[in-house]
Amino acid sequence: GLKGVVWLQWALLALFGMKRSPGFDQLIGFREDRVEAIAEQAVRMGAYRCAADYLLGHRIDDAMEYELADEFTALQQQRADTASAVSPRYPHFDDLSEELQWQLERSMEAMLAAFIGRMSSLVRRMRYSEEDALYQAQQSAVYQTTQAEPARRDTEALFAWVTVLYTGRADAALRFWGHGEPDDRLAVFVRWGADCREQGMVRAYFGMLAALASGAQASVCAHEFMSGGGAGGHRQTVNQAPLCSWQALFGALDFYAGHLRPGEPDPLAAPPPEIPDAEVALLRAFLRLCRSVVQHSVVARTAIYDSTELGAMTTMFALLACVVPVALKAALLDTVAAFGALDNDVLANSGAHADSVRRAVDEMARRIWAQLEQSQMLPTAGDGARALAVGRGSSGARSGIAYELEEVEAAAETYPETRAFVRLVAALTHVPADAVGVTAEAASAASASASVPADLGSAYRVPGVGPYVSFVLDSVLLKAEQRAYCVPDEKWRVYALALDVVERSLSTLDLSMFVGTHATVTPDALRELATHPGFEVAVRVLCGSRLLDALLRVLDAGVDAVNAGAAAASAVLPALRILLRVLHVQTAVLRGAVPALAEADSLGFALNLPRSLTTLEQLLLSRRESVVQIAALVGAVDPHVSLAAVRIVHILADSTVFNGVDDRVTRGALTLNRMVSMIDGSTDSVRILHAFITSLEAEGGDDVEGDENDDDSAAALRVAVVDLLLANIVPSKPAPTIAHYLLGFSVSRPAADDLPDPAQRATVLHTVLDLLRGDSLLARQPRLAERCYHLVHRLCADPVTSDVALRYLRA
């Protein structure tokens, strides 16, 4: 494989020299036809496969492995002629530096463009040869003649190379659409591919188009290409639309929906028809192309959605109601989700029209919610009960998506359709821009999602999207630990997706009516609050239900797993954010929302609330190991995880629950508060201290202070650590607090024992003083410097710490 890549590069350089320098062929002793033969031999040696699966292996993640499984199978068949079996996959290296990754991608991009441009005749000849060989193999199978040699699939492998190289790289492939390129050979290559007829080639070609459509400009080009029928691509019959067109895609989906439409059960009837596997793979690739286009272009999204000729949504939901493979249903659900998703990149590219784009996508999501409810993919009509039990879960339906989860996917031990359904629920729940983040300000600014209809299903059940979130909670999240998985990492992907829905639900919970002395509460507002899924989530956590246990179980994965980049890392951050959001809103829920709902008598349905609700701090008090795990996560390499953990520790340390005296621990005449007792008594105490030191030492790449409330700011983490220290060096909190512990003061005699020497034991105070040495911190991050100086002043003025701190500073 690698030898083939080297040969191919040599052939390209040789051709380049021949075109630029007359007599170059005589100089190297190779004529052009001989160089082209060497290039063909390089392809047969596996150059495509090595380039895509090895040199670009760092780009292949789990999602790409699943989506491009057929393409990777074709790559394995793109082997040396002497190979007697399908070649194994290359190993992938995830620890390459960003610079090396950039160099590899640029090198492969240059080689690919040169190969397509300079050896187009070879590419065409090899494709036609493969089509003839595949046709002969099909004829041999039909007439049961002598089995021919397995046909090579080099053209599919070439398309796969392009797919791996450009997937997820916004507008990196504009050259293939004729933008900014004086030579249109790459655009000709795209149009030439539209004439492919063999199913495997067509599938790989659609996958390539999906990759080339990444980005705002590229997606518009792809939409125009498909709307124009692939620039005159092949028509299967005179009356049919070109194969490369939206009409062909949705026409095929409508064809199968019509033939597979479920009817009345008849035990004497023939088994229902099935979609051939090759056709399923082809439809999935086509849907992936559609998904890529609508994800990046609101114009294309609106045009396809509103087209009565295509009937996109109606057709996809009709096919979802049929008995089709799980993989195809997952692709359909992901495509539906792409129509309703609100992508930040799309808003950023909309400029001054961002507000109108947001409103348009919100309205589209509301219409998709209505179509999802009408489809009853998740049965919500039930028996028409008009009662709502908040915080107690539900037994769940045993048909539709719930049936397929328990009877089909659980038996296969893989869950693509369920994951796609959860992604759909998340995509249709848009979070207002001012409610994004995990600060107290973001929690107080939360407002109801404009994309979620509060009256969904009101004609026959308690209104709202509660049944969908309850399914995610009860059937997906809370059962994730009990299920078997073919691939163990899929469990964490399930956790991460379900927690995303939970976080979005909390982020759209509007409790502003309970903030302020002049707030008014109307019956309609209470009704929407009671049916809001975010209220259901908050109540479940605050009553100590299994949801809280599931969140803490995710955190048990530990900081080592997060720093190692394990699959569990994707679920830890949303779990922390959910706990932090609950800590921010619990006062309004417990003191405002619950009493108001308990006294309300005009909701229109019976409301049953848990008998016992309490603060999250009280619930965590009996879960000491979980508190230690949260504190240890301050040492996460991901600054978002570290910041969320610091903010949780800050809130817990501020609470009277954790500031109270731990009756189980006494040291002489001095008692310890519960927070210090938990951390100091754990086996991770040294690691936690080091985590806070490391977080305070962390600096952003640009080394410039940003907004301290911005979760992506490099300064936010350092400011959060110093704020935690300042909040716990106050006379109202008896020493020793968590701040005394982290700063290095003795937990037994904080007012007397000297601070440790930095050479013997590093502390957070040593790090603060190191930051203040010189003028660089004051110039680069003035707000952080101000807090650090304030901390030193407070230590020198506080009755407990002044003597010890002044002695240390004088020394």
Side-chain angles (χ1 to χ4, degrees), residues 389-466:
V390 178
R392 302 183 185 181
S394 61
S395 58
R398 294 294 296 178
S399 58
I401 181 71
Y403 173 83
E404 297 198 356
L405 167 60
E406 300 296 344
E407 302 299 333
V408 179
E409 292 184 307
E413 298 183 357
T414 185
Y415 308 88
E417 183 182 355
T418 297
R419 287 189 284 116
F421 184 83
V422 176
R423 278 193 295 267
L424 172 61
V425 174
L428 297 180
T429 307
H430 301 167
V431 179
D434 54 358
V436 175
V438 291
T439 62
E441 291 77 8
S444 61
S447 57
S449 174
S451 67
V452 178
D455 60 347
L456 188 68
S458 58
Y460 47 84
R461 63 172 175 85
V462 175
V465 299

Side-chain angles (χ1 to χ4, degrees), residues 202-224:
V202 175
R203 183 206 67 243
Y205 175 71
F206 286 151
M208 181 185 73
L209 291 183
L212 298 178
S214 300
Q217 298 180 61
S219 59
V220 173
C221 296
H223 174 59
E224 293 173 351

Side-chain angles (χ1 to χ4, degrees), residues 5 24 39 45 116 136 160 233 262 277 329 445 506 513 584 586 588 604 607 646 658 669 680 683 751 791:
V5 173
F24 186 77
M45 290 167 64
I116 293 173
Q136 292 177 5
D277 291 341
K329 284 198 173 185
L506 275 175
M513 69 189 84
H584 285 316
Q586 63 182 355
L607 178 65
V646 169
F658 280 86
D680 187 46
T683 57
L791 176 63

Side-chain angles (χ1 to χ4, degrees), residues 302-488:
T302 304
I304 296 174
Y305 185 90
D306 291 338
S307 172
T308 55
E309 178 185 359
L310 298 178
M313 282 297 141
T314 303
T315 300
M316 287 190 287
F317 275 110
L319 191 55
L320 281 169
C322 302
V323 180
V324 296
V326 165
L328 180 56
K329 284 198 173 185
L332 289 166
L333 288 168
D334 280 333
T335 307
V336 172
F339 279 91
L342 185 64
D343 192 287
N344 290 330
D345 292 336
V346 170
L347 292 177
N349 292 326
S350 302
H353 304 290
D355 289 339
S356 61
V357 168
R358 177 181 282 273
R359 287 192 296 271
V361 178
D362 284 341
E363 177 58 29
M364 197 176 298
R366 293 174 68 89
R367 291 161 64 185
I368 294 174
W369 272 119
Q371 290 172 299
L372 178 61
E373 175 75 12
Q374 183 179 8
S375 73
Q376 287 293 292
M377 183 177 185
L378 177 69
T380 60
D383 56 2
R386 306 291 295 186
L388 181 62
V390 178
R392 302 183 185 181
S394 61
S395 58
R398 294 294 296 178
S399 58
I401 181 71
Y403 173 83
E404 297 198 356
L405 167 60
E406 300 296 344
E407 302 299 333
V408 179
E409 292 184 307
E413 298 183 357
T414 185
Y415 308 88
E417 183 182 355
T418 297
R419 287 189 284 116
F421 184 83
V422 176
R423 278 193 295 267
L424 172 61
V425 174
L428 297 180
T429 307
H430 301 167
V431 179
D434 54 358
V436 175
V438 291
T439 62
E441 291 77 8
S444 61
S447 57
S449 174
S451 67
V452 178
D455 60 347
L456 188 68
S458 58
Y460 47 84
R461 63 172 175 85
V462 175
V465 299
Y468 298 92
V469 177
S470 293
F471 169 77
V472 173
L473 291 173
D474 297 319
S475 299
V476 181
L477 178 61
L478 297 182
K479 292 185 178 180
E481 198 69 26
Q482 307 167 12
R483 301 192 189 280
Y485 300 87
C486 286
V487 179

Side-chain angles (χ1 to χ4, degrees), residues 165-231:
L165 179 58
Y166 287 102
T167 294
R169 295 174 57 197
D171 291 330
L174 286 175
R175 295 194 296 172
F176 284 83
W177 304 112
H179 278 246
E181 190 78 7
D183 189 346
D184 66 345
R185 281 178 289 186
L186 294 180
V188 170
F189 169 73
V190 172
R191 294 194 295 270
W192 166 79
D195 291 326
C196 291
R197 295 170 174 82
E198 196 273 326
Q199 277 188 324
M201 290 185 188
V202 175
R203 183 206 67 243
Y205 175 71
F206 286 151
M208 181 185 73
L209 291 183
L212 298 178
S214 300
Q217 298 180 61
S219 59
V220 173
C221 296
H223 174 59
E224 293 173 351
F225 180 79
M226 295 296 292
S227 298

Side-chain angles (χ1 to χ4, degrees), residues 558-600:
V559 67
D560 289 333
V562 173
N563 290 343
S570 62
V572 169
L573 180 57
L576 286 173
R577 284 178 169 169
I578 291 165
L579 293 175
L580 188 51
R581 179 75 67 162
V582 172
L583 287 167
H584 285 316
V585 304
Q586 63 182 355
T587 300
V589 171
L590 295 175
R591 298 183 182 178
V594 171
L597 288 171
E599 296 172 0

Side-chain angles (χ1 to χ4, degrees), residues 25 48 97 155 161 167 219 234 255 258 279 283 329 342 356 449 498 560 612 627 651 675 685 696 702 793 795 801-802:
D25 53 345
Y48 295 160
S97 66
T155 303
W161 182 8
T167 294
S219 59
H234 169 66
F255 170 80
E279 191 73 11
L283 291 175
K329 284 198 173 185
L342 185 64
S356 61
S449 174
D560 289 333
S612 175
V627 176
I651 295 175
M675 176 63 78
S685 58
L696 199 54
D702 55 3
H793 175 267
L795 290 174
T801 60
S802 59

